[in-house]
Amino acid sequence: MARFLRSAGWALSGIGHALRTQRHMRFHVMMAVLVIAAGLWFRISGLEWVIVLLTAALVIAAELFNTAIESIVDLASPGQHPLAKAAKDIAAGAVLVLAFAAVVIGLIVFLPHMRILLFD
Ligand SMILES: Nc1ncnc2c1ncn2[C@@H]1O[C@H](COP(=O)(O)OP(=O)(O)OP(=O)(O)O)[C@@H](O)[C@H]1O
């Protein structure tokens, strides 16, 4: 148990480091908080909660992986290198794919609730 708590503490400190150093990470967390607030406001269904929470978690996890890859690249290649650029840009591309999917999923989940609120 103590070992698990110690590992969880290191993982939390990794998340804290990403939050302190990456503005994109802060943006994704802020969006997740807004989406959770919207879910509570619109009283979305259980299945919608699963979709929304999973999507938000995937975007944040992708940003954490991206931050980790950036750190490894900066350590391995402090100077400019085309492979360093490729690694960073590909990792950023993965976040972009998930962030774009999250926007589309958010519209699919929340637009019907907004329509009911506005027009019914
Ligand atoms: N060591 C390197 N060699 C070559 N290109 C690099 C290297 N480090 C970064 N780059 C490239 O320079 C551009 C900007 O990189 P940078 O890490 O500043 O990205 P950023 O999006 O501004 O990051 P952040 O979100 O942390 O502000 C990217 O295309 C990246 O791939």
Side-chain angles (χ1 to χ4, degrees), residues 2-25:
R3 235 171 107 174
F4 169 78
L5 286 177
R6 209 175 42 181
S7 299
W10 286 332
L12 285 174
S13 98
I15 293 171
H17 176 81
L19 275 170
R20 280 193 304 279
T21 60
Q22 305 294 316
R23 66 197 152 87
H24 289 139
M25 178 69 182

Side-chain angles (χ1 to χ4, degrees), residues 22-24 70 77 79-81 84-85 88-89:
Q22 305 294 316
R23 66 197 152 87
H24 289 139
E70 274 181 14
S77 175
Q80 297 287 303
H81 194 285
K85 177 174 173 53
K88 281 193 174 183
D89 292 352

Side-chain angles (χ1 to χ4, degrees), residues 12-91:
L12 285 174
S13 98
I15 293 171
H17 176 81
L19 275 170
R20 280 193 304 279
T21 60
Q22 305 294 316
R23 66 197 152 87
H24 289 139
M25 178 69 182
R26 291 193 291 274
F27 174 77
H28 293 312
V29 170
M30 207 174 69
M31 290 310 289
V33 170
L34 284 179
V35 160
I36 288 168
L40 292 170
W41 174 265
F42 288 116
R43 296 173 185 275
I44 61 177
S45 72
L47 182 62
E48 287 171 330
W49 271 119
V50 171
I51 293 166
V52 161
L53 292 177
L54 195 59
T55 304
L58 280 173
V59 174
I60 290 170
E63 187 60 45
L64 288 168
F65 277 121
N66 181 40
T67 305
I69 287 169
E70 274 181 14
S71 297
I72 295 167
V73 169
D74 288 342
L75 184 66
S77 175
Q80 297 287 303
H81 194 285
L83 285 177
K85 177 174 173 53
K88 281 193 174 183
D89 292 352
I90 291 165

